[in-house]
Amino acid sequence: MIIVQKYGGSSVADTDRIKRVAERIAAAKQEGHDVVVVVSAMGKTTDQLTRQALDIAPIPSARELDMLLTAGERISMALLAMAISEQGLSVRSFTGSQAGIITDAEHGKARIIDITPGRITDAIGDGHIVIVAGFQGVSRDSKDVTTLGRGGSDTTAVALAAALEADLCEIFTDVDGVYTADPRIVPDARRLTQVTHEEMLELAASGAKVLQVRSVEYARNHGVRIHVRSSFTYQEGTWVEEDHVMEQAIISGVAHERGEGKLVVRRVPDKPGVAANIFTSLADANINIDMIVQNVSDDGTTDISFTLPIDDGPRAVQLLEGLRDAVGMEEVILDEQVGKLSLVGAGMKTHPGVAARMFSALSDAGVNIEMISTSTIRASVVVREPDLETAVRAVHEEFRLAEVAP
């Protein structure tokens, strides 16, 4: 039985924690499992390296920044391999490229396009525990080192689990599972025992930080079972897997996101091709767009509003300002004082009135809604950032998510 384990930065933040992780890995090996481990950089190493790079170059070379940042995971993997060896077990460590993680050439947020895990399977066959540096790969075209973006070690672990046909992918972190809301905002938030891939994908995309969105998407597409659990305890966490429950709870949780801004393109001509021009330009710049609203046409013009990662806001404004004459827009306004709240649950598909209850709860709490977006299992709203925590508590209470569903 092959299991893939991923340990986040907080789990390997110092040498004492690395030794404890080594003991946990050794125990899994001694239970008879073939173990492949993916590690993040120690503690805040990635943040520290990024700050050093920005101190030297305000806009560092993307290629060289990837070369720098991947050093953090290589340090973790080597130290962990040494700690496991001290447990009397045989171990081999590999960088992302050595592990066969092939990506596109997009530095900073590369996507995995293939995995050739020959060296890993050979090492497993020889009885070794395998340690892989997370968050990184190698470009198929340029052969340069690439990084997978924030939380990329999650994606490394899930992708390896899929390629190795592992029985399980365990994500060890500093929390003990997925909660119905952020416990720092809602003290009585409840840990979920199970969520579906679809629910976890919506929660992650809506601001839940437990798993990277792309890792959940990869798990869904390849049928990988994930167990999110704490590296500091041995208790069960949250299982992310295909639905095995006949009747889903209506709502699984409330997620929120502070890292988005709202961009308004005012008074653009209301004619075919204008929206395509705007959003094609943003896509070509690799800027992800979330919620989109277009107002009713007035005098032949309309306003288009959309949300995007706040870090991409200034770049998006600059890009759209360059299209002013070509598109015929009046102005571009970036609002950074917004937050997004999302209600997620597979049961929403068969229970009418969920959105109405959500909107009523927000109204009763005095929270104004600026934008609305829905899917079959999610309802999201944009509100003012100062109202976000009030909104999360109000919706969580409305759906009684602190209580275990009968």
Side-chain angles (χ1 to χ4, degrees), residues 267-271 294-303:
R267 297 186 65 79
V268 298
D270 188 11
K271 63 182 183 181
Q294 180 171 320
N295 292 347
V296 176
S297 179
D298 179 25
D299 298 328
T301 66
T302 187
D303 294 346

Side-chain angles (χ1 to χ4, degrees), residues 109-148:
K109 41 187 169 182
R111 300 190 71 87
I112 296 173
I113 56 179
D114 194 16
I115 293 186
T116 55
R119 295 186 69 176
I120 294 178
T121 54
D122 287 347
I124 291 173
D126 292 337
H128 302 304
I129 293 171
V130 175
I131 314 295
V132 178
F135 175 65
Q136 61 188 259
V138 61
S139 167
R140 179 175 61 186
D141 298 328
S142 68
K143 310 305 179 187
D144 286 333
V145 170
T146 56
T147 62
L148 308 181

